Amino acid sequence: MKTKLTFLFAILQCVAYSQTVKISASETDASIIVNGLKVGSGNYKLKIDKKDCYKVKAEKPGYLKYEATVCGKKAGPEAPSSLYFEMKKDDAEEASVKTDQANIDFEIEVNKDLEMLEAWKLTTQIVTDYFDAIEVSDKETSYLRTAWSVQSFQQNTIRTRLIIKLAKSNPLTFKVKLNSEYSGANATSVKADEQFRDWDRILRKYKNVISDFSTRLTKK
């Protein structure tokens, strides 16, 4: 009796699955994810229930993310026999570097031979070497903030700005902070604060900002 039930169960399984979709990616070590669960690397054969839809993703660090939805013939447009992801490098990561300098206050002690006015003028010059627009600049309180500089990528939007403020008057010390944030989506509005999060990377064009402050403000 048990053998007959097992055989019947196997037949029912075959009936339930109407199609198999071969999923593959150009990167052989890319994670294949189905409905939130990793099911393989590089390729996977997905059995499709005719009444269900499946969200399929291909992901690999340093590459763009890909996804598609495949459905059984009774749940939506019938799935193809194969699904191939031609993966490309993440252009936001290629244009940036991983760093410990993002979103952290750095204290830079100014060369004692520089007067406050001279130091502030030099600080402003360094800022304008990297940023086109200064949003706030108050030399009386030694506070400066640039406007956000925004760059959009295929699957990301990066915004960057500098904040300078007085840490100590004696010895004269400034705090310098490079804000680097990402949205994880293309063409995000710079004003959509709720969509941005701290990024542990900075765009390559800003990678020397902190070292420039350290070198030029402290040199004799």
Side-chain angles (χ1 to χ4, degrees):
M1 185 66 177
K2 185 177 180 181
T3 302
K4 288 182 179 180
L5 288 173
T6 302
F7 181 71
L8 180 60
F9 181 72
I11 292 175
L12 290 173
Q13 277 192 313
C14 290
V15 172
Y17 292 109
S18 58
Q19 186 179 352
T20 298
V21 179
K22 182 181 178 182
I23 302 165
S24 58
S26 58
E27 295 300 308
T28 57
D29 56 346
S31 295
I32 304 298
I33 300 166
V34 177
N35 290 344
L37 298 175
K38 180 179 177 180
V39 294
S41 296
N43 61 80
Y44 179 71
K45 288 183 178 180
L46 174 65
K47 291 182 179 179
I48 299 291
D49 188 304
K50 60 185 177 181
K51 295 181 180 180
D52 291 332
C53 287
Y54 303 80
K55 183 172 285 188
V56 181
K57 296 182 180 181
E59 297 181 358
K60 179 181 176 179
Y63 284 75
L64 297 175
K65 297 178 181 179
Y66 296 83
E67 65 177 64
T69 299
V70 293
C71 297
K73 59 184 178 182
K74 287 190 175 182
E78 189 171 356
S81 59
S82 63
L83 183 62
Y84 178 71
F85 296 106
E86 180 66 44
M87 302 184 73
K88 296 180 180 179
K89 289 285 187 72
D90 186 333
D91 51 345
E93 288 207 7
E94 288 196 310
S96 64
V97 293
K98 192 174 181 64
T99 179
D100 59 358
Q101 295 185 351
N103 307 302
I104 294 175
D105 282 320
F106 285 87
E107 289 198 359
I108 297 174
E109 186 176 323
V110 177
N111 178 3
K112 63 182 181 180
D113 292 331
L114 283 176
E115 297 291 337
M116 179 62 180
L117 189 59
E118 293 177 293
W120 187 248
K121 182 178 179 180
L122 180 54
T123 297
T124 304
Q125 288 174 349
I126 298 170
V127 171
T128 54
D129 283 345
Y130 293 92
F131 291 85
D132 294 329
I134 294 176
E135 192 172 70
V136 179
S137 180
D138 185 351
K139 65 181 179 181
E140 298 301 321
T141 59
S142 299
Y143 180 82
L144 182 150
R145 183 179 70 238
T146 69
W148 285 109
S149 176
V150 182
Q151 189 166 341
S152 190
F153 297 90
Q154 290 185 65
Q155 293 183 357
N156 217 339
T157 304
I158 309 302
R159 67 178 190 177
T160 312
R161 73 177 177 188
L162 264 176
I163 297 176
I164 317 291
K165 52 189 174 183
L166 183 66
K168 290 184 290 186
S169 296
N170 189 21
L172 181 58
T173 305
F174 290 128
K175 280 186 179 180
V176 180
K177 186 176 184 179
L178 182 66
N179 288 126
S180 181
E181 300 181 354
Y182 76 103
S183 72
N186 172 265
T188 306
S189 169
V190 68
K191 297 180 180 179
D193 294 339
E194 71 284 355
Q195 295 185 41
F196 284 92
R197 302 173 294 281
D198 285 353
W199 202 31
D200 62 353
R201 306 180 67 88
I202 57 174
L203 296 178
R204 293 183 185 277
K205 59 185 175 181
Y206 302 118
K207 69 177 184 178
N208 293 324
V209 169
I210 302 300
S211 61
D212 270 6
F213 277 104
S214 181
T215 300
R216 294 168 65 179
L217 286 175
T218 62
K219 71 178 182 179
K220 296 181 180 180

